[in-house]
Amino acid sequence: MLLSNASLPVITGILVALVVGITFHEFSHAALADALGDHRPRALGRVSLNPLRHLEPVGALFFLIAGFGWGKPVPVNGYALRPGPIGMTIVAGAGPIANFAMAAVFAVVFRGFDAVGLLEQDFVRLVLASIVYFNVLLGFFNLLPIPPLDGYNVMLPLLPPRQQFVVQRYAQFGYLVLLALVVFSYGPTGGPLQWLFGVASSIAGAMI
């Protein structure tokens, strides 16, 4: 379990990243969908920065166990969006972009605190560094083209109709694919998710 060997600052950073990252991630989906003409997310109360509107138990559990996760999906009707179905690609991409933006914001805070000597305490340093890292990780992880992740909805409208139909038939197995990724990524030789963690760590390190 990810939290079993983590220090208090890292645990705090993970929890803050979970709440802040997922909240802004899902809010961005809802707000952009609303702006593009699909008002169902607003009617469901998803155009909100209240974390309770966006946290999803399974996604949060994955986040705590494996270091990645997702929020409660925002229901969006691609045909109600003014750009048409391609609008779904735009709305789906808003979530990961929001995570990268949050990582950038907290990286600026990290550098600002460091410049004025406020990072001498390891607790503050580790909390801010963890928030940057996990938001970068959330952004990249959610771009994987596997349902229920955003990468799936980014990719789907870009496919020809016949390929869309084929892909949608197998969408129900997305959670099993994610579970398989977890299993195969924590073996002695690592795997796709370990590589993703490494990339996220390198980018977050460069940002701070």
Side-chain angles (χ1 to χ4, degrees), residues 65-78:
I65 292 175
F68 62 87
W70 55 88
K72 184 189 302 181
V74 175
V76 178
N77 180 3

Side-chain angles (χ1 to χ4, degrees), residues 134-154:
F134 282 107
N135 270 279
V136 171
L137 181 59
L138 271 172
F140 278 118
F141 175 74
N142 276 283
L143 285 175
L144 295 176
I146 304 170
L149 305 181
D150 295 321
Y152 171 78
N153 288 316
V154 169

Side-chain angles (χ1 to χ4, degrees), residues 62 65-66 68 70 141 175-187 192-194 197:
F62 263 75
I65 292 175
F68 62 87
W70 55 88
F141 175 74
Y175 284 105
L176 295 178
V177 175
L178 289 175
L179 182 59
L181 277 177
V182 173
V183 172
F184 288 112
S185 292
Y186 284 88
L193 292 182
Q194 293 294 339
F197 294 165

Side-chain angles (χ1 to χ4, degrees), residues 38-51:
D38 181 10
H39 304 303
R40 185 182 178 195
R42 178 174 293 276
L44 295 174
R46 301 303 300 277
V47 185
S48 169
L49 289 175
N50 179 355

